[in-house]
Each structure stands twice: as C-alpha cells, then as structure tokens.
Amino acid sequence: AEPEPTWTFQATGDVEATAAIADGRVFVPTLEGTLHALELASGAELWTYRTEFEIKSSPLVLDGRVYFGDEGGTLHALAAGDGSRIWSFSAEAAITSSINHGDGCLVFGSYDGYIYCVEADSGELRWKVETQGYVHGTPAVIGDRVVSAGCDGYLRVVALSSGEVLQEISVDGYVGASPAVVDGRAYVGSFENEVLAVDLEAARIAWRYRPDRKFPFYSSAAVGDDLVVVGGRDKRLHALHRESGETAWSYTTRSRIDSSPVIVDERVFVGTDAGALLALDLETGEEAWRFDTGSGFAASPAVVPGRLVIATIEGLVICFAG
C-alpha cells in the first residue's frame, strides 16, 4: 500500500529497457551497452556484461540464462549466475524487441524487418518471417501462436512450430508497442492515435478507441479482468472497457507516458516522462501513491511479490518494498 525505496543503484549509462527479476537477481541493461546483474535483496552488483552497442531490449531470464538483443543486431545468451557468454545469434539490424519464448524457442523482432524464432538451447535459427517494416515491439506467445504487430501496419499470427503465417490483419498504422493478448483478443496502441482490440479468431478489428487529442501510443497495454490500461503521448493514462473500448477513466499527467503500465491487484503502476512513478486505483483512476524523481521514465515497472524495481532514464535503479 505504501511502497518505500529500499535501495538504489546507479547504472553506467542511461536506461530505456525494463529490468528483469528472477531467482533473487535484477538484470538492468543500459544504452551504454552494459548489462548489470544486481542482488534483489540489497542492490549489490554481482557482475556486468559489456556489448559494443546500446541495449534497448528488456532481458528475458529463463532456465538459468539471460537473453537480450542489442542495437547492433546481436542476440546474447548468458549464464545468469556469472554473466559468461553461452552463444550469440546475429540478425541483420537492431534488436530493440524484447525476447519472448515458447516450445524451446526464443521469439523476437528486428529492425531488419523479420520476426525470428531461435532455439533457446543452441542459438540456431528455427524460422524467420519477413514483414514490410521494422519490428519494434515484443511478440506475444499464446500456445502455438506468435502474435506480432509491426511498423508496416499489420498484426501477424504465426505458427510457433513452423513459422507459417496464419493471419495478416491490417491495423492501419505504424505500431511500436507490444500486443497484449487475452481471451482471443490482441490489444495494442498505434502511432495513428488509436488503441485497438483485434479479434484473432475472426481476423478483424473488434473496436477502436480514438481520444480527442491526436498523439501516438507508444506504451504497451496492461489488461485486467475488465479494463485495458495504456499510456499515451497525450499526457494521459487511459483505462478502457475490454469489451467495448469505451472510456472507464483517464488520468492526466504533466508529461507523456511511454512507460508501459503494470496492474498489481487493485492498482496500476506507471512511470511518466516527467519522473513521477504513480500508483492509481484500478477501478476509479484516482491517485493512490506517487514517488517523484529528478529524471523521467521510459522503462516500465518490474514487479515480483514484495518488490517493485524501475530505472530512470538517467540510469538510477530504484527498488521499492511494501
């Protein structure tokens, strides 16, 4: 109810990516090209791993390994225990997308215009699917389906096992956000001032939400039982009814929201470009708690039981405890 900072850590560079928390450790990538591994309990640095390029890809921690991409187009696989390199895979352009997984496969997008599926154990390519533009956001993995929205204005459904393209659905705009998929619908915002619900079974747009002020949506949506919550560059956090897309509430801030919200029980946490970390009541949108910093947030909150970790743009990592 009242999160308090328990430790801070100053990273070696600016931070845009969301931290990963697993097995009592926090993994924080920087634009200076360093991945920091910290102890969750204390914030003590355990090891670092350096690349030659900026890291905007949020790490995936899976089965004792850490996976992330860099702006040079390399996918890195490290041992989570000591940061030693296990293997790497090279795409043809930047990997800003974070890494998702399913069926032993790592799924991600690249600025070379492909969606990739790479074997988690070996780094060998299983398949890749060509699009007509950058793939910035993280693909969703639902069973044997990969759902990816790209900068070419299409949402694609791909078979995880084979790479066969099952559906291509036009969303009529450039998409930088990651789709959130719940109960057969994909929810995603676009740079065309829209949040869309895409019915994957019928391959059609179920509803479109267009706010009165025309600004892009870069933030990815969080989906609760009844609401879809997404930040906008119109300086508002929007809560929409899942079934209809109608507005439930909106919260106005002093700056744009590129950070993606996270729903925790009856609250939604989000960071703003002006440096406020907010907790809003999920039902009403009323502010329940806030913490102000001297730097903005592009990263999203990372939450595990009893802890919330987020880094400011200037690389200050803050751990909050309940």
Side-chain angles (χ1 to χ4, degrees), residues 244-267:
S244 65
E246 295 178 354
T247 301
W249 52 260
S250 67
Y251 178 91
T252 301
T253 73
R254 294 187 295 109
S255 64
R256 69 187 190 183
I257 303 175
D258 282 349
S259 171
S260 299
V262 177
I263 294 172
V264 183
D265 295 327
E266 300 305 317
R267 288 184 171 183

Side-chain angles (χ1 to χ4, degrees), residues 215-236:
F215 285 88
F217 286 93
Y218 181 74
S219 165
S220 299
V223 184
D225 292 338
D226 302 310
L227 298 179
V228 177
V229 184
V230 61
R233 289 187 170 177
D234 63 351
K235 304 181 181 181
R236 289 183 289 182

Side-chain angles (χ1 to χ4, degrees), residues 1 20 26 28 39 70 83 102 120-121 123 126 133 154 175 201 205 227 232 235 245-246 272 274 279 289 298 305 317:
V26 180
V28 182
E39 187 178 66
D70 68 28
D121 286 342
R126 180 183 295 183
Y154 284 89
V175 176
E201 182 76 22
I205 307 299
L227 298 179
K235 304 181 181 181
E246 295 178 354
T272 76
W289 173 88
V317 186

Side-chain angles (χ1 to χ4, degrees), residues 46-280:
L46 302 173
W47 53 261
T48 60
Y49 176 86
R50 290 186 175 273
T51 74
E52 298 180 13
F53 300 95
E54 294 180 332
I55 308 172
K56 298 180 181 179
S57 169
S58 300
L60 165 70
V61 185
L62 179 68
D63 297 334
R65 295 182 178 183
V66 185
Y67 302 98
F68 66 93
D70 68 28
E71 292 299 286
T74 298
L75 172 64
H76 301 263
L78 312 180
D82 59 9
S84 58
R85 185 171 178 170
I86 299 171
W87 55 254
S88 64
F89 172 87
S90 294
E92 298 299 321
I95 302 172
T96 304
S97 161
S98 301
I99 317 302
N100 211 333
H101 70 95
D103 189 29
C105 187
L106 306 175
V107 183
F108 59 94
S110 170
Y111 269 49
D112 63 9
Y114 283 89
I115 305 164
Y116 285 89
C117 176
V118 172
E119 300 290 345
D121 286 342
S122 63
E124 294 181 2
L125 179 67
R126 180 183 295 183
W127 52 255
K128 64 180 183 178
V129 170
E130 186 175 11
T131 74
Q132 303 305 311
Y134 302 146
V135 184
H136 182 89
T138 305
V141 177
I142 306 295
D144 188 44
R145 299 290 185 267
V146 175
V147 182
S148 175
C151 298
D152 61 356
Y154 284 89
L155 184 141
R156 289 176 174 83
V157 181
V158 180
L160 178 61
S161 56
S162 66
E164 178 188 358
V165 178
L166 304 175
Q167 294 172 330
E168 287 186 335
I169 306 165
S170 175
V171 293
D172 302 318
Y174 179 104
V175 176
S178 307
V181 181
V182 179
D183 295 338
R185 282 186 175 183
Y187 301 91
V188 69
S190 79
F191 273 62
E192 300 302 318
N193 187 43
E194 288 188 326
V195 179
L196 304 101
V198 182
D199 186 325
L200 300 177
E201 182 76 22
R204 65 176 182 85
I205 307 299
W207 53 253
R208 298 174 185 266
Y209 167 73
R210 294 187 180 99
D212 52 356
R213 289 185 283 179
K214 191 170 184 180
F215 285 88
F217 286 93
Y218 181 74
S219 165
S220 299
V223 184
D225 292 338
D226 302 310
L227 298 179
V228 177
V229 184
V230 61
R233 289 187 170 177
D234 63 351
K235 304 181 181 181
R236 289 183 289 182
L237 190 69
H238 302 260
L240 314 174
H241 290 288
R242 268 180 57 180
E243 290 304 313
S244 65
E246 295 178 354
T247 301
W249 52 260
S250 67
Y251 178 91
T252 301
T253 73
R254 294 187 295 109
S255 64
R256 69 187 190 183
I257 303 175
D258 282 349
S259 171
S260 299
V262 177
I263 294 172
V264 183
D265 295 327
E266 300 305 317
R267 288 184 171 183
V268 54
F269 288 85
V270 71
T272 76
D273 195 55
L277 178 61
L278 303 170
L280 307 180

